[in-house]
Amino acid sequence: MQCLRAEDLVSAESPRPREWRPQIHRKCTDTSWLLLFFLFWTGLMFIMGYSVMAGATGRLLFGYDSFGNVCGKKNSPVEGAPLSGQDMTLKKHVFFMNSCNLEVRDARLNSIVLCVSNCPEEQLDTLEEVRLFANSSGSFLCVYSLNSFQNPNADSLCPRLPVPPSKSFPLFNRCIPQTPECYSLFASVLINDVGTLHRILSGIMSARDTVLGLCVLALALSLAMMFTFRFISTLLVHIFIALVILGLLFVCGVLWWLYYDYTNDPSTELDTERENMKCLLGFALVSTVITGVLLVLIYVLRKRLKWTVELFHVTNKAISRSPFLLLQPLWTFTILVFFWVLWVAVLLSLGTAGAAQVVEGGQVEYKPLSGIRYMWWYHLLGLIWTSEFILACQQMTVAGAVVACYFNRNKNEPPDHPVLSSLSLLCCYHQGTVVKGSLLITVLRLPRILLGACNTLRGKRNAWSRCSSRCCACCFSCLDKSLRPLHQNAYTATAINGTAFCTSAKDALTMLSKNSSHLTSLNCLGDFIVFLAKVLVVCFTVFGGLMAFNYNRALQVWTIPLLLVAFFAYFVAHSFLSVFETVLDALLLCFVVDLETNDGSPAKPYFMDQEFLSFVKRRNSFSEVRAPRAGSSRTTEEGTELQPVAQ
């Protein structure tokens, strides 16, 4: 047997630190996680197909009568229901024959529901007036089987008299009674007894134009902030900080004013209005806490704002070498919007999935199918994981382009198509790494969502239970925030070394821990300014939503659409402005690797340009930046200049 040398034994016992080298030939990383993602999406495709086959979004959007006919559409007959299968193309409104005396008995309304052409805008006191209204407007307010008003059963087949004046409202296209006493009874029974999911979805759909307008506003504000950062100056920073402070204070004040207005409004009777009031109180408290914390942080960091301008000048110079980096958020946003629209469409279909059952009197009811609630949770998991995956792909692409431009000797001739090259490496080799990183973020978010759902479903609980659940949610949120930078550094390390996610995260953490905390403070300062930009986008969008939604208080759970709009605004702002965060994080990690590998001598010059080097020297002493590196000696072989190598 051949004897091992002593140095081989030493190397076998203590593995050498990784040599950071941009790889030319790579291999696929984390392939098992990519297979898991493929299997998960197979389940999502099954849910999509099932929702198309079993769902009926038209029932939710347009409303339906007691005989299974969707208003405003041509319907197919239901076996055993003789009045089903009618052509309701011209009858687009839902009319309740007993709208002033609605009751729910055994989870069923005591009133027959019809599809009509027009809602009666004036009170009808006699059966003759009902007949005249049908002749003049073409809107028949009696059961479809009634052939003549001379029928002795006409009183039971026509609406209960007097018929109150009503007006169509875009909530299931219902005819809403306009008299105060009928309106109060009608809304309290009908709206408060509709399922929670249907109430939320109806609030979204009835305010869909407002929601769409606010989403466009968030997109425009995000684009404006991105180009503001591209040409940032000291004056713009101070104006930007002033706008953030005013936006926070203004939104906080408007929320408290609306809550005060709700509590002192004597007409607040419906559960939807009470829910809006409770949500407003929660929004006001949360916004007050966030405003206080951000104002304190702005005051503490006010003297360091001058470094922000120089920091973003360095970042913008890196972006100028690959200007197509600014277009990354556009395709990311396009893919996200397409996925979200698809997700909402499937959710609407799942919310209306039910089997038609014929009950007494030839009426039709739709019973929810079994297993739908489990599909909702699976569908929600797909929303979070896929959204995080799309954002992680953007981070990986941007990091790869920055790495390609940084480790290039000739700064005047940047590499050809760095964004496309980075995207091709991602698609060919590192999709599994992105899947694994996005899944870890999703796993940290799921407990928070489950805790929130449990809090909602259990209702009133003791103070200890509420406090413990909120503490757990806070811990998961802090863990999520602390691990996100690690994910970005892991993607950058993968772009350099071509290693798997866990290996890249460990190597990046080890490399950054050897350097001074001053680099971390620089990174945190830049991330904080970008976060303030996201807050500014959300503030202006939420303010527009408050002003728009407040006009329809009674028949909308409008706090849910407002919360979704705020989430969308932050997500869009994050998609666009995260380019600067990603470039900054990647630059600092490349800078640390450059210091670790080279010493600035003619034999081993730095890859960084002089502007970046002078900025770091001005921020803190160059010797202090390299001080931690002196503690861990590296041999001459390990400290050789970075060169692309084949793996």
Side-chain angles (χ1 to χ4, degrees), residues 555-569:
L555 296 178
Q556 293 186 51
V557 186
W558 58 262
T559 50
I560 300 298
L562 181 63
L563 188 62
L564 291 178
V565 165
F567 171 77
F568 178 82

Side-chain angles (χ1 to χ4, degrees), residues 126-329:
T126 64
L127 195 61
E128 179 65 18
E129 292 183 0
V130 173
R131 184 185 67 80
L132 292 175
F133 175 76
N135 293 335
S136 62
S137 65
S139 185
F140 194 65
L141 302 181
C142 301
V143 177
Y144 312 132
S145 59
L146 180 64
N147 297 323
S148 172
F149 283 92
Q150 305 300 325
N151 191 314
N153 297 324
D155 291 338
S156 61
L157 297 178
C158 290
R160 183 172 180 177
L161 301 175
V163 179
S166 58
K167 184 178 180 181
S168 180
F169 189 83
L171 178 65
F172 291 138
N173 293 324
R174 288 187 172 97
C175 293
I176 308 298
Q178 298 300 297
T179 56
E181 58 276 6
C182 286
Y183 169 80
S184 177
L185 293 173
F186 174 87
S188 61
V189 172
L190 180 64
I191 297 177
N192 295 340
D193 287 311
V194 175
T196 303
L197 177 65
H198 282 202
R199 290 165 61 187
I200 293 174
L201 293 179
S202 63
I204 296 174
M205 294 309 301
S206 60
R208 56 187 179 273
D209 295 335
T210 304
V211 171
L212 181 61
L214 292 172
C215 292
V216 173
L217 175 63
L219 175 61
L221 290 173
S222 300
L223 286 171
M225 293 307 305
M226 185 177 68
F227 285 104
T228 299
F229 278 0
R230 186 69 179 88
F231 305 102
I232 199 167
S233 64
T234 304
L235 178 61
L236 283 177
V237 169
H238 286 88
I239 295 175
F240 164 71
I241 295 296
L243 288 176
V244 170
I245 295 175
L246 290 176
L248 288 170
L249 294 176
F250 201 65
V251 170
C252 187
V254 169
L255 286 171
W256 282 112
W257 174 76
L258 287 176
Y259 175 71
Y260 175 81
D261 189 40
Y262 265 93
T263 54
N264 291 276
D265 188 356
S267 63
T268 302
E269 298 179 355
L270 303 180
D271 282 355
T272 51
E273 294 177 314
R274 297 189 185 99
E275 287 182 10
N276 289 338
M277 185 173 64
K278 292 179 181 178
C279 292
L280 275 176
L281 177 60
F283 291 165
L285 290 173
V286 171
S287 65
T288 302
V289 173
I290 294 176
T291 300
V293 172
L294 290 180
L295 289 179
V296 171
L297 289 176
I298 291 173
Y299 178 78
V300 171
L301 298 175
R302 69 189 188 282
K303 295 183 179 180
R304 301 184 182 181
L305 293 179
K306 63 179 182 179
W307 296 109
T308 304
V309 178
E310 295 190 50
L311 185 62
F312 278 99
H313 281 168
V314 173
T315 305
N316 287 326
K317 188 172 183 180
I319 293 177
S320 63
R321 297 193 183 101
S322 181
F324 287 103
L325 284 176
L326 293 178
L327 298 180
Q328 283 298 108

Side-chain angles (χ1 to χ4, degrees), residues 428-446:
C428 295
Y429 302 105
H430 303 309
Q431 286 193 69
T433 298
V434 175
V435 167
K436 187 174 183 179
S438 58
L439 177 60
L440 293 179
I441 296 295
T442 304
V443 169
L444 291 176
R445 283 195 171 187
L446 274 182

Side-chain angles (χ1 to χ4, degrees), residues 1 33 117 138 142 243 285 297 352 356 383 484 498 508 540 560 621:
M1 180 182 295
W33 295 93
S117 302
C142 301
L243 288 176
L285 290 173
L297 289 176
T352 56
L383 170 68
R484 282 187 179 273
F540 278 93
I560 300 298
S621 172

Side-chain angles (χ1 to χ4, degrees), residues 62-73 75 81-97 111-118 134 138-149 151 153-154 156-159 175 361-364:
F62 307 110
Y64 58 99
D65 63 11
S66 299
F67 309 102
N69 299 300
V70 177
C71 300
K73 297 182 66 177
N75 298 273
L83 296 181
S84 64
Q86 300 193 33
D87 187 358
M88 298 294 181
T89 306
L90 301 178
K91 300 179 179 181
K92 300 181 179 180
H93 305 282
V94 182
F95 176 74
F96 292 81
M97 294 178 57
S111 174
I112 295 178
V113 184
L114 302 174
C115 294
V116 297
S117 302
N118 296 289
S139 185
F140 194 65
L141 302 181
C142 301
V143 177
Y144 312 132
S145 59
L146 180 64
N147 297 323
S148 172
F149 283 92
N151 191 314
N153 297 324
S156 61
L157 297 178
C158 290
C175 293
Q363 299 184 26
V364 177

Side-chain angles (χ1 to χ4, degrees), residues 565-581:
V565 165
F567 171 77
F568 178 82
Y570 182 83
F571 219 69
V572 170
H574 176 73
S575 299
F576 280 85
L577 299 177
S578 62
V579 171
F580 295 92
E581 290 179 315

